[in-house]
């Protein structure tokens, strides 16, 4: 089949899903161009520009690999590899039961693959044990938004709406490095002096508040909840709340008001370190921007900095409470949103690879949902397993007595990206069989017993759902290398061997049609969409829900009410407990983690691109000169970082933009500089989100830089 040249598609990495075109059919000479689209307006970041290089990376895996008796991964035929996986699954399930096989998915998978993976776990393996890396990413925001607003679509409004805002409160997000082309949508708030960034570092995003563009609040790490409780206190104390909105559109305001009564700003200042007057200034600016007070609108947005916490759900809940008190959600030009991270982080949490979900964002313990989905799958509803364990608990159980003995990994590099990764690596090694689908030998693939090589973004058709809930087309621009198969084919082949009565299609547009039927009537309803309809739309895709083929999609949610039992948003009182780990004599410094512009996630893809590798070749740790001098560490010295999980090494980088009580490390590398070897795997009791962002660390100088 001849394909259009150039091919219009989207970047393989983050949830902004910048539109791009790919010209040419020789993989080593593909020309990547930014394409006009409402979110990126033709712009891309350096990861997008260089993304085609991973297609032809010299160490691309192009044949299945099986570990031999000496522990070496050796090439094998597809037939041998799939037969081995199927046989081992059969033997293990006969011996230990169906839940002895577990599946770990990813928010980078297309909607079609995420759907097929969830269906495979429930119908072929019949195991409850499936979860995915979105648990590390969007789980706290999802839990809070579902509870308070009744539905979880990261941004319940188009990204371009931000442009008209008078004020934006951005908590724990560094969009200047994590989604650079999105900055244009923050320009309006900056011009109006209304961008407020909350981050313990003066990140590239926090620096955008300089020169009168807004304010940067630099709290004690892990105390954002206190900042929000104080802002809520001020809103009520100074009579800034939108009373009509509260009585018409919310329930629970009285409880929340009472719960923040003791968080007067001077008390909050003692905990979070932000001056009481600054807190007042922020509350007043947000209120003045709200439509009820004649402003042009205000937004409150959260990112991983506040969500990846053992009190992540509570913190997002407080952010939503503040938005509700100011009357923002559901009003045009205002709102609350969580900034989704992975390419298909949104769609990935809608189609059933999360332990408690069925397609269409349905709940797996809802009898009606089970009946509907069972019918689409052609199985007995009673055969669909119940909810499984969330990711961190699932990983901790691997290989233990009673825990899973086989793990299949699809789209995650757990050995680098999971919290307390040293323990995760031990758990992976203790399995009877680890199966990894990937296209590069990631740190996790290198631990596998069987590696199955799969297609990459530009070699496959599919759909992705962006951070705004916009369903867009990923298009095939060239054929995959010989020896590589799509994930849909891998799952279909295994299903044919293990449960031939369940049908698994390999054509993405047919899988999409089935997904659309399975989602019909659910919160994330895609039933009005098909590849054909998406292809006939020249530019922009459709925002879900799209419940009928003639439905135009839903760019803005909540305009006429909230999808809760009484149509009102629920305000839920929450309180501050603090991070799971306190500073102590042998770990007196906060360790913060996050991202840099040039690398993506575990780095499995971006560390293979020379231009990006040159930009940031090795693990480093940012520390304030005041802290560094106290510890006797020069810029460039090697330091050892120790937490109760273990020790790692990295190069110190002096930086006066971080608080002197904290150090910051990106998590993009494996091995001895992998910060997740020492992060805390304590989890939020509601969302299961691990405490990635803040733990207690000791820092010591290892070797002086030679000058
Ligand atoms: N370059 C790049 N871009 C990416 C990705 C990538 O790996 N690289 N990944 C994508 C994905 S999956 C995601 S989830 C997003 C994440 O996007 P962001 O949430 O923007 O990224 P992070 O760097 O993880 O965290 C943001 C900020 O949280 C701050 N932080 C740390 N502790 C605290 C705290 O206690 N309170 C507050 N308020 N802030 C704190 C850090 O200093 C950091 O600047 O990025 C997406 N885009
Ligand atoms: N300390 C710390 N740790 C963190 C975070 C943090 O802020 N701090 N952030 C967390 C967050 S938000 C996230 S999202 C996770 C992400 O971390 P990971 O889950 O490790 O995500 P990636 O590095 O994107 O890994 C994706 C892997 O799948 C492969 N892959 C890509 N596309 C496909 C596909 O279609 N099919 C298959 N089978 N494989 C594919 C890639 O080659 C790569 O090896 O990290 C989390 N870890
Ligand atoms: S911002 Fe995200 S989607 Fe856009 S080019 Fe960069 S990585 Fe790709
Ligand atoms: Mo993420």
């Amino acid at each position: 089949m001849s394909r259009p040249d150039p091919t219009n598609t989207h970047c393989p990495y983050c949830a902004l899903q910048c539109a791009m075109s790919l010209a040419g059919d020789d993989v080593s000479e593909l020309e990547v161009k930014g394409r006009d689209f409402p979110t990126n307006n033709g712009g891309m970041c350096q990861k997008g520009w260089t993304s085609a290089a991973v297609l032809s990376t010299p160490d691309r895996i192009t044949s299945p690999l099986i570990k031999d008796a000496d522990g070496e991964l050796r090439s094998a035929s597809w037939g041998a590899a799939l037969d081995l996986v199927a046989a081992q699954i059969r033997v293990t399930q006969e011996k230990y039961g169906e839940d002895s096989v577990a599946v770990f998915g990813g928010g980078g998978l297309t909607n079609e693959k995420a759907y097929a993976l969830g269906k495979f776990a429930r119908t072929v393996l019949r195991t409850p044990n499936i979860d995915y890396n979105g648990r590390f990413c969007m789980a706290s925001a999802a839990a809070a938004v579902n509870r308070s607003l009744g539905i979880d679509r990261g941004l319940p409004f188009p990204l371009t709406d931000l442009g008209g805002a008078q004020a934006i409160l951005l908590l724990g997000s560094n969009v200047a490095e994590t989604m650079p082309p999105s900055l244009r949508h923050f320009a309006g708030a900056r011009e109006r002096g209304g961008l407020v960034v909350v981050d313990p570092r003066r990140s590239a995003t926090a620096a955008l508040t300089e020169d009168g563009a807004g304010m940067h609040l630099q709290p004690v790490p892990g105390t954002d909840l206190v900042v929000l409780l104080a802002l809520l206190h001020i809103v009520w104390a100074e009579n800034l709340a939108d009373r009509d909105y509260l009585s018409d559109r919310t329930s629970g305001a009285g409880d929340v008001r009472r719960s923040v009564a003791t968080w007067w700003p001077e008390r909050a200042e003692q905990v979070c370190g932000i001056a009481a007057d600054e807190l007042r200034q922020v509350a007043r600016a947000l209120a003045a921007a709200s439509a009820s007070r004649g402003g042009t609108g205000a937004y409150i947005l959260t990112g991983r900095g506040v969500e990846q916490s053992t009190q992540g759900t509570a913190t997002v809940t407080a952010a939503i409470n503040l938005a509700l008190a100011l009357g923002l959600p559901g009003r045009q030009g205002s709102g609350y949103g969580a900034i989704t991270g992975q390419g298909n982080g949104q769609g990935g949490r809608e189609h059933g690879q999360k332990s408690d979900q069925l397609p269409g964002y349905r709940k797996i313990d809802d009898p009606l949902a089970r009946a509907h989905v069972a019918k689409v799958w052609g199985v007995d509803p009673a055969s669909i397993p119940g909810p499984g364990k969330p990711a961190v608990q699932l990983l901790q159980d691997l290989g233990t007595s009673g825990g899973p003995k086989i793990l299949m990994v699809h789209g995650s590099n757990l050995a680098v990206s999971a919290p307390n990764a040293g323990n995760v690596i031990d758990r992976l090694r203790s399995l009877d069989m680890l199966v990894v689908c990937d296209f590069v030998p990631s740190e996790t693939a290198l631990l596998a017993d069987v590696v199955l090589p799969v297609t990459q973004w530009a070699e496959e058709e599919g759909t992705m759902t962006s951070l705004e809930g916009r369903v867009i087309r990923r298009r095939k621009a060239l054929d995959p290398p010989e020896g590589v198969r799509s994930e849909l084919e891998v799952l279909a082949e295994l299903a044919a061997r293990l449960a031939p009565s369940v049908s698994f299609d390999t054509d993405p547009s047919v899988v999409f049609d089935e997904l659309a039927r399975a989602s019909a009537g659910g919160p994330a309803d895609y039933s009005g969409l098909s590849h054909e309809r998406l292809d006939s739309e020249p530019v922009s895709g459709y925002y879900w829900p799209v419940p009928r083929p003639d439905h135009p999609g839903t760019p803005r949610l909540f305009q006429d009410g909230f999808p809760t039992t009484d149509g009102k948003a629920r305000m839920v009182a929450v309180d501050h407990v603090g991070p799971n780990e306190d500073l102590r004599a042998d770990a007196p410094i906060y360790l913060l983690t996050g991202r840099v512009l040039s690398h993506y996630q575990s780095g499995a893809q971006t560390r293979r691109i020379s231009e990006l590798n040159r930009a940031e070749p090795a693990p480093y740790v940012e520390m304030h000169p005041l802290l560094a001098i106290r510890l006797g560490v020069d810029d460039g010295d090697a330091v050892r970082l120790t937490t109760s999980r273990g020790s790692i090494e990295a190069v110190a980088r002096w930086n006066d933009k971080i608080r002197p009580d904290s150090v910051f490390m990106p998590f993009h590398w494996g091995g001895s500089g992998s910060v997740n070897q020492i992060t805390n795997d304590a989890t939020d009791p509601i969302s299961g989100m691990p405490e990635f962002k803040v733990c207690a660390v000791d820092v010591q100088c290892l070797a002086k830089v030679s000058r």
Side-chain angles (χ1 to χ4, degrees):
M1 193 184 79
S2 77
R3 283 186 287 270
D5 192 51
T7 306
N8 285 343
T9 189
H10 295 264
C11 172
Y13 300 119
C14 85
L16 192 59
Q17 283 295 290
C18 293
M20 58 158 67
S21 66
L22 295 173
D25 24 58
D26 178 352
V27 66
S28 56
E29 286 169 20
L30 271 189
E31 195 189 353
V32 181
K33 277 202 180 132
R35 185 161 60 84
D36 198 28
F37 199 71
T39 49
N40 66 310
N41 303 88
M44 285 197 293
C45 77
Q46 50 184 247
K47 296 187 296 304
W49 294 119
T50 55
S51 55
V54 189
L55 295 163
S56 57
T57 185
D59 61 350
R60 174 116 193 227
I61 311 173
T62 53
S63 138
L65 306 172
I66 298 178
K67 193 165 272 177
D68 68 14
D70 301 326
E72 291 288 314
L73 283 166
R74 298 205 186 278
S75 287
S77 70
W78 272 99
L82 292 165
D83 285 347
L84 174 68
V85 172
Q88 187 81 30
I89 288 175
R90 206 175 292 119
V91 169
T92 304
Q93 288 193 319
E94 270 164 23
K95 193 163 167 197
Y96 300 105
E98 280 156 345
D99 48 3
S100 61
V101 180
V103 178
F104 202 93
L109 301 179
T110 58
N111 289 315
E112 292 79 358
K113 295 196 262 184
Y115 168 81
L117 192 64
K119 176 180 171 186
F120 180 82
R122 272 63 172 250
T123 62
V124 175
L125 301 176
R126 294 171 61 161
T127 178
N129 287 324
I130 172 166
D131 211 45
Y132 79 126
N133 66 8
R135 184 71 67 179
F136 300 159
C137 183
M138 294 307 295
S140 292
V145 176
N146 275 322
R147 181 171 69 173
S148 295
L149 306 178
I151 197 168
D152 159 34
R153 203 182 84 192
L155 298 185
F157 45 78
L159 186 64
T160 46
D161 280 6
L162 292 181
Q166 184 172 324
I168 299 177
L169 173 62
L170 187 61
L171 298 127
S173 163
N174 184 14
V175 277
E177 291 200 65
T178 55
M179 295 187 184
S182 75
L183 289 184
R184 65 195 73 229
H185 309 296
F186 294 81
R190 290 179 65 207
E191 274 161 28
R192 299 172 193 111
L195 179 64
V196 182
V197 176
V198 185
D199 197 312
R201 297 189 305 147
R202 196 168 190 79
S203 63
T205 309
L208 294 173
T209 63
E210 286 166 12
D211 304 325
M215 292 168 72
H216 172 210
L217 309 185
Q218 207 165 357
V220 174
T223 65
D224 302 87
L225 182 46
V226 172
V227 173
L228 288 161
L229 296 172
L231 294 176
L232 269 161
H233 175 101
I234 299 162
V235 164
W236 267 300
E238 300 195 359
N239 213 2
L240 303 171
D242 185 340
R243 291 214 195 134
D244 292 341
Y245 180 98
L246 282 176
S247 61
D248 296 348
R249 301 204 58 183
T250 72
S251 63
D255 280 352
V256 172
R257 182 175 184 168
R258 275 187 294 282
S259 74
V260 298
T262 53
W263 280 109
W264 56 90
E266 283 73 13
R267 178 184 169 213
E269 178 179 339
Q270 299 300 313
V271 183
C272 69
I274 308 292
D277 278 344
E278 270 190 288
L279 292 167
R280 289 195 181 91
Q281 216 181 317
V282 171
R284 289 171 196 158
L286 287 171
S290 70
S292 68
R293 294 186 171 260
T296 67
Y299 288 91
I300 297 175
L301 304 174
T302 57
R304 300 309 84 75
V306 299
E307 297 165 10
Q308 289 171 325
S309 147
T310 48
Q311 53 182 15
T313 307
T315 305
V316 175
T317 301
I320 297 169
N321 287 342
L322 178 62
L324 292 168
L326 295 170
L328 310 181
R331 258 217 189 103
Q332 184 129 6
S334 291
Y336 163 78
I339 303 173
T340 295
Q342 297 182 84
N344 197 26
Q346 180 68 51
R349 63 187 193 268
E350 298 165 357
H351 305 299
Q353 55 175 334
K354 202 172 175 188
S355 65
D356 52 358
Q357 272 173 12
L358 289 175
Y361 218 132
R362 289 181 155 92
K363 292 200 176 73
I364 202 165
D365 52 8
D366 168 2
L368 290 175
R370 296 170 67 86
H372 173 85
V373 174
K375 204 164 157 204
V376 176
W377 288 349
V379 300
D380 175 2
S383 72
I384 299 179
K389 293 196 183 98
V392 174
Q393 283 74 17
L394 180 66
L395 297 176
Q396 286 168 346
D397 276 3
L398 296 177
T400 60
S401 81
K405 306 283 186 270
I406 294 182
L407 180 72
M408 299 176 63
V409 178
H410 295 258
S412 180
N413 187 7
L414 288 164
V416 177
S417 59
N420 194 5
N423 183 56
V424 171
I425 292 169
D426 288 346
R427 297 289 92 229
L428 294 174
R429 288 207 168 108
S430 76
L431 289 164
D432 291 358
M433 183 170 73
L434 173 64
V435 184
V436 175
C437 272
D438 210 314
F439 36 77
V440 289
S442 72
E443 284 76 1
T444 310
L446 290 174
L447 295 171
D449 300 290
V450 181
V451 182
L452 303 173
V454 287
T455 45
Q456 292 194 40
W457 56 291
E459 300 159 354
E460 61 187 22
E461 299 286 343
T463 59
M464 307 284 278
T465 304
S466 77
L467 79 168
E468 331 165 272
R470 195 200 289 257
V471 187
I472 52 180
R473 279 284 273 116
R474 164 177 285 189
R475 289 194 184 82
K476 181 169 174 174
L478 72 179
D479 289 323
E482 215 170 310
V484 158
R485 295 197 182 175
S486 90
E487 220 123 8
L488 295 177
E489 288 172 65
V490 171
L491 296 174
E493 289 282 346
L494 288 174
R497 285 165 171 78
L498 291 163
S501 63
V502 195
S503 87
F504 276 81
D505 218 287
T506 56
D507 175 344
S509 75
V510 176
V511 176
F512 187 92
D513 291 343
E514 186 184 313
L515 170 166
R517 284 199 305 284
S519 78
D525 191 330
Y526 283 43
S527 59
L529 292 177
S530 60
H531 280 203
E532 202 184 356
R533 185 167 179 207
L534 288 164
D535 286 340
S536 67
E537 162 62 57
V539 186
S540 60
Y542 291 87
Y543 296 85
W544 68 256
V546 194
R548 294 182 311 278
D550 62 349
H551 190 284
T554 316
R556 296 177 186 85
L557 298 172
F558 314 137
Q559 293 196 302
D560 310 316
F562 296 93
T564 55
T565 38
D566 60 1
K568 293 183 174 187
R570 301 181 197 110
M571 295 183 78
V572 181
V574 289
D575 207 358
H576 177 70
V577 182
N580 171 265
E581 251 182 14
D582 261 336
L583 299 187
R584 50 180 196 272
D586 65 349
I589 300 161
Y590 293 110
L591 169 61
L592 314 182
T593 70
R595 296 161 163 78
V596 295
L597 173 62
S598 48
H599 283 296
Y600 190 66
Q601 316 274 60
S602 69
Q605 288 153 281
T606 49
R607 279 185 273 124
R608 292 184 156 78
I609 298 179
S610 51
E611 191 179 327
L612 301 179
N613 225 18
R614 268 199 306 278
E616 284 300 353
Y620 67 87
V621 53
E622 269 177 27
M623 61 172 78
H624 196 284
L626 286 175
L627 175 67
I629 288 167
R630 186 156 69 71
L631 299 174
V633 174
D634 277 319
D635 189 35
D637 282 353
V639 294
R640 175 181 290 133
L641 293 94
T642 306
T643 71
S644 48
R645 271 80 47 198
S647 291
I648 57 164
E649 292 165 20
V651 173
R653 210 178 262 184
W654 279 26
N655 186 327
D656 64 1
K657 296 180 171 61
I658 183 164
R659 293 173 56 100
D661 57 1
S662 307
V663 295
F664 172 84
M665 237 183 117
F667 74 101
H668 307 298
W669 294 271
S672 60
S674 169
V675 74
N676 275 325
Q677 294 275 342
I678 60 171
T679 50
N680 188 352
D681 58 358
T683 55
D684 177 304
I686 299 173
S687 66
M689 170 69 85
E691 186 100 282
F692 277 126
K693 279 292 182 278
V694 182
C695 67
V697 70
D698 185 39
V699 181
Q700 283 183 350
C701 192
L702 258 188
K704 304 302 287 180
V705 66
S706 50
R707 286 188 197 282

